Amino acid sequence: MTTFLEHHPVSQALAATLFTWAVTAAGAAIVFLTKNVDNRLMDSMLGFAAGVMTAASFWSLLAPGIAMAEQMGQIPWLTAAVGFMGGGIFMRLIDKFLPHLHPGLEMEKKEGIKTSLQRSTLLVLAITLHNIPEGLAVGVAFGAVAAGLPAATIGGAIALAIGIGLQNFPEGAAVALPLRREGMSRGKSFFLGQLSGMVEPIAAVAGALFVLQLQSILPFALCFAAGAMIFVVVEELIPESQRQYENIDLATMATMMGFTLMMILDVALS
């Protein structure tokens, strides 16, 4: 029986993001226990997720991308800048055109092109938008390991998957709980909550396949994934975690804790 480390990078990326999807489902499953979660707890979880993604963007993606660019004879700062900004622009374009509604907002504040989609669908699309760069990041990280360059390690890729899995819990809850409060059944609320995580394995496989075919763009792809994740943190997670003024300090400390934990995971496992 083969071990995880002996599998093809695409299979590793798929397995890792099936784990992150499962954690999203675990977060959505909270609807079977309650309709409500204390605002302080939810804001803390979202802040924690922001910290994890920020740390992962640097230690697991941007820093290895810069090191890899140097090893491959590229101009490191140029590769990093173009890739990082490219990821942010890519997410801004998706954000502009994909219909979605962030949790906790009224229908009048939906974003993207005009649509008649229901609120439940728009909520799922909002978290799906969030999960695209996460899945892409994991796929690119595992694909980069196959290049055999010192900057990319299997431990770092695993740390990234663990970190993203940890912060997926509040994402599943952030979709399922509002739907449950609006009167939707527990089963359907759970189904739609976990559905938002389905895009991660798809994005991971696509990302891994892409960089395996074009290894020369690996540094750019890592920095691109970092930029996409930072866009989500700044545009969505931090504002949502600090919407309640009285919880700002708590959410900020949770962000610090998430950053610290991801930093420890990446440094310890890389």
Side-chain angles (χ1 to χ4, degrees):
M1 183 177 179
T2 58
T3 67
F4 176 80
L5 298 181
E6 295 172 329
H7 281 285
H8 189 275
V10 175
S11 298
Q12 292 174 337
L14 177 60
T17 45
L18 287 175
F19 160 73
T20 64
W21 180 12
V23 181
T24 304
I30 202 169
V31 296
F32 293 109
L33 303 176
T34 181
K35 285 185 180 180
N36 298 290
V37 170
D38 183 79
N39 285 334
R40 298 203 312 162
L41 177 58
M42 182 56 73
D43 289 346
S44 296
M45 289 195 297
L46 291 171
F48 179 85
V52 167
M53 287 185 68
T54 301
S57 296
F58 178 74
W59 269 280
S60 298
L61 299 169
L62 194 59
I66 292 171
M68 193 176 292
E70 188 172 9
Q71 291 163 7
M72 296 175 71
Q74 300 175 9
I75 304 174
W77 64 263
L78 181 61
T79 298
V82 173
F84 186 82
M85 288 304 300
I89 292 169
F90 171 74
M91 290 304 298
R92 175 66 185 102
L93 291 173
I94 295 180
D95 186 67
K96 180 178 176 61
F97 294 107
L98 180 71
H100 62 283
L101 177 68
H102 294 296
L105 299 182
E106 300 299 325
M107 281 293 285
E108 292 75 20
K109 294 185 178 180
K110 62 186 177 183
E111 300 178 45
I113 60 174
K114 291 184 178 180
T115 179
S116 58
L117 292 174
Q118 295 181 346
R119 178 180 175 85
S120 59
T121 303
L122 293 171
L123 284 169
V124 173
L125 287 174
I127 304 299
T128 299
L129 170 67
H130 182 160
N131 287 341
I132 291 173
E134 296 173 9
L136 180 65
V138 173
V140 170
F142 279 100
V145 175
L149 296 173
T153 67
I154 188 66
I158 292 173
L160 177 62
I162 293 172
I164 288 177
L166 289 174
Q167 61 88 45
N168 271 2
F169 188 89
E171 292 178 11
V175 175
L177 286 170
L179 297 178
R180 178 61 182 147
R181 286 195 296 267
E182 291 171 11
M184 189 174 288
S185 69
R186 290 186 179 88
K188 190 171 183 181
S189 298
F190 166 75
F191 175 76
L192 291 175
Q194 63 81 34
L195 190 64
S196 63
M198 186 180 294
V199 70
E200 288 191 2
I202 298 171
V205 168
L209 286 171
F210 186 67
V211 296
L212 285 172
Q213 294 299 316
L214 296 170
Q215 291 195 2
S216 61
I217 68 161
L218 266 173
F220 172 85
L222 287 165
C223 297
F224 181 95
M229 285 178 57
I230 289 296
F231 178 92
V232 171
V233 171
V234 177
E235 196 268 346
E236 179 183 341
L237 285 178
I238 290 178
E240 286 185 11
S241 71
Q242 303 202 356
R243 190 173 295 143
Q244 304 288 331
Y245 178 78
E246 63 273 17
N247 296 337
I248 287 178
D249 288 342
L250 183 62
T252 300
M253 290 308 300
T255 302
M256 298 286 291
M257 289 175 61
F259 187 98
T260 301
L261 177 60
M262 186 64 220
M263 177 178 62
I264 291 171
L265 279 174
D266 195 276
V267 174
L269 295 179
S270 294

